[in-house]
Amino acid sequence: QVQLEESGGGLVQGGGSLRLSCGVSGGTLSRYSMSWFRQAPGKEREFVAAIGWSGRNTYYADSVKDRFTISRDNANNTVHLLMNSLRTEDTAVYYCARDRHPFGVPTRRQVDIGSWGQGTQVTVSS
C-alpha cells in the first residue's frame, strides 16, 4: 500500500522560508501528478499547488502564487514545496497528495486524489 510521508514543517517567523518534502513507500510518485493541500484550524482543506508527472506543468492557488514553488525529483521519488515570504495565514497542516491515476493532469480537486500523507505542521509567527 502506498504511503506518503511529509517532512520539513516547523515554526518560522513571518517573512521566512520553509521547504517541505514528500516521499513515498510501497509505490512510486514518478508517474503521477502530485499536489499539496493545507488545512488551517477551523477551516476546510484547500488546494495549494500541483505539478504534472513530468514536472513541466505547475499550478498554484492565488494566495501562494509567486511565493511558493512546487518541484519534483522523479529519480528520487520526491516532491517539494518551497515556501518563501511566509505569512501568518499560511499556518496550517500541509498534506502531500498523489493523483488517483498515473499520467493524469495536475489537479486542484480532492476527489481526484488517490493517496494522502499524514500531514506536517507549518506555523508562521508574527
Side-chain angles (χ1 to χ4, degrees):
Q1 185 170 347
V2 171
Q3 288 190 320
L4 306 180
E5 184 171 357
E6 304 92 342
S7 61
L11 174 64
V12 63
Q13 268 196 322
S17 299
L18 280 176
R19 185 179 187 239
L20 305 183
S21 297
C22 175
V24 65
S25 59
T28 183
L29 302 181
S30 61
R31 297 190 297 271
Y32 293 82
S33 292
M34 298 293 298
S35 304
W36 287 92
F37 290 80
R38 69 186 181 186
Q39 187 167 21
K43 295 188 177 182
E44 293 186 353
R45 188 159 52 187
E46 64 175 4
F47 169 77
V48 174
I51 187 167
W53 64 270
S54 69
R56 283 198 295 268
N57 300 318
T58 57
Y59 301 93
Y60 297 92
D62 288 344
S63 58
V64 306
K65 203 173 294 183
D66 299 326
R67 299 188 298 124
F68 290 12
T69 303
I70 188 170
S71 62
R72 66 189 303 155
D73 179 353
N74 282 344
N76 290 302
N77 254 332
T78 54
V79 176
H80 304 285
L81 185 68
L82 175 61
M83 306 184 294
N84 293 323
S85 302
L86 282 162
R87 305 167 180 168
T88 55
E89 55 263 39
D90 295 316
T91 294
V93 177
Y94 283 71
Y95 296 92
C96 174
R98 193 184 80 165
D99 201 8
R100 190 177 300 278
H101 302 292
F103 305 117
V105 297
T107 184
R108 302 169 180 261
R109 305 192 313 163
Q110 298 187 47
V111 68
D112 294 328
I113 299 301
S115 299
W116 294 91
Q118 292 296 309
T120 185
Q121 177 71 46
V122 171
T123 303
V124 184
S125 64
S126 58

